[in-house]
Amino acid sequence: DTGVSQDPRHKITKRGQNVTFRCDPISEHNRLYWYRQTLGQGPEFLTYFQNEAQLEKSRLLSDRFSAERPKGSFSTLEIQRTEQGDSAMYLCASRNGQGKTYEQYFGPGTRLTVT
Amino acid sequence: GDSVTQMEGPVTLSEEAFLTINCTYTATGYPSLFWYVQYPGEGLQLLLKATKADDKGSNKGFEATYRKETTSFHLEKGSVQVSDSAVYFCALRGGAGGTSYGKLTFGQGTILTVHP
């Protein structure tokens, strides 16, 4: 396994701009999760994909946020019209839906700073 | 909804001291419980887990026991090392019939610093 990768690792943007993050899960993992982590807090769930289907979204995911996983492999998270409150670490995790290990493997995260 | 509460931090210990980080949870159904660790500059890593009541998870000298009667999953280590300095997160995954099936609900994290 090469692990979960995320790109970019850091993003600085001005308020009002759109940003897009990419997550590449471990290759055989069909389940993919996005979380957001603000300073001094634990990660908070944003959304979940099983293959290409988005099955669950948090109330934290406002209309400005959209996530896709078009071919059931990599995923993108887009934030439109960014606000300063969007500044956070965005984490992606994946797991194998087979078996009952339940372990989610996390990527290194994308740190977003909105100025 | 599901929630996880960790003891307030930060925690500062001397090398070889005993560590306890308290974690309690609220969940419907039969959750699985986890401890994740985040070393400086690195991503979240699973430290240990327990999937049913009375299970004990263990790894790298750390232990935690799933106590359903007290809804707790306290992390312990008998003798900490400087290399254990990190942020520790308690988390739960809701079981079937719960409200957070599939996703993880995290506590706020506890910063541990171990001095030589």
Side-chain angles (χ1 to χ4, degrees):
Chain A
D1 290 339
T2 57
V4 179
S5 60
Q6 293 187 244
D7 184 70
R9 295 291 304 275
H10 303 273
K11 178 71 175 178
I12 300 174
T13 191
K14 293 185 177 180
R15 185 164 52 94
Q17 297 296 305
N18 299 344
V19 294
T20 300
F21 310 140
R22 177 180 170 122
C23 170
D24 286 89
I26 293 171
S27 58
E28 66 268 26
H29 287 185
N30 64 337
R31 304 193 183 202
L32 187 147
Y33 303 79
W34 284 98
Y35 295 85
R36 181 171 67 187
Q37 185 179 15
T38 54
L39 199 61
Q41 299 298 316
E44 295 175 293
F45 169 77
L46 292 179
T47 191
Y48 160 60
F49 289 86
Q50 184 170 321
N51 299 311
E52 65 276 10
Q54 188 175 19
L55 297 185
E56 191 171 357
K57 292 196 295 185
S58 164
R59 286 189 293 267
L60 292 175
L61 214 64
S62 76
D63 291 344
R64 297 184 297 104
F65 288 70
S66 62
E68 294 182 341
R69 195 182 183 199
K71 298 182 180 179
S73 56
F74 74 90
S75 176
T76 58
L77 177 68
E78 181 183 15
I79 308 174
Q80 296 182 327
R81 305 180 302 281
T82 53
E83 302 172 356
Q84 287 189 322
D86 297 332
S87 295
M89 178 76 85
Y90 289 84
L91 299 171
C92 177
S94 71
R95 75 175 180 94
N96 190 332
Q98 306 301 315
K100 296 183 178 181
T101 60
Y102 302 138
E103 179 175 354
Q104 293 183 22
Y105 292 81
F106 282 82
T110 294
R111 181 168 295 284
L112 173 66
T113 302
V114 181
T115 61
Chain B
D2 295 348
S3 66
V4 176
T5 302
Q6 286 183 235
M7 66 183 289
E8 295 290 332
V11 175
T12 303
L13 296 173
S14 297
E15 205 164 28
E16 300 183 0
F18 184 84
L19 169 71
T20 300
I21 301 178
N22 290 339
C23 170
T24 57
Y25 68 89
T26 302
T28 54
Y30 302 94
S32 297
L33 301 174
F34 306 85
W35 278 99
Y36 278 82
V37 59
Q38 189 170 37
Y39 297 103
E42 298 185 16
L44 280 166
Q45 302 173 26
L46 179 65
L47 180 60
L48 54 83
K49 64 184 179 189
T51 57
K52 61 182 187 296
D54 299 325
D55 269 1
K56 177 184 283 189
S58 61
N59 186 27
K60 299 182 181 180
F62 291 89
E63 293 183 339
T65 301
Y66 186 160
R67 301 287 189 200
K68 191 168 177 64
E69 63 276 12
T70 55
T71 62
S72 65
F73 193 55
H74 305 321
L75 182 68
E76 296 182 335
K77 186 174 186 182
S79 176
V80 293
Q81 305 300 311
V82 172
S83 58
D84 293 327
S85 298
V87 184
Y88 292 82
F89 294 93
C90 184
L92 71 81
R93 176 190 181 279
T99 59
S100 65
Y101 189 69
K103 65 181 180 279
L104 294 172
T105 299
F106 286 86
Q108 73 270 33
T110 301
I111 299 173
L112 170 66
T113 303
V114 180
H115 292 298

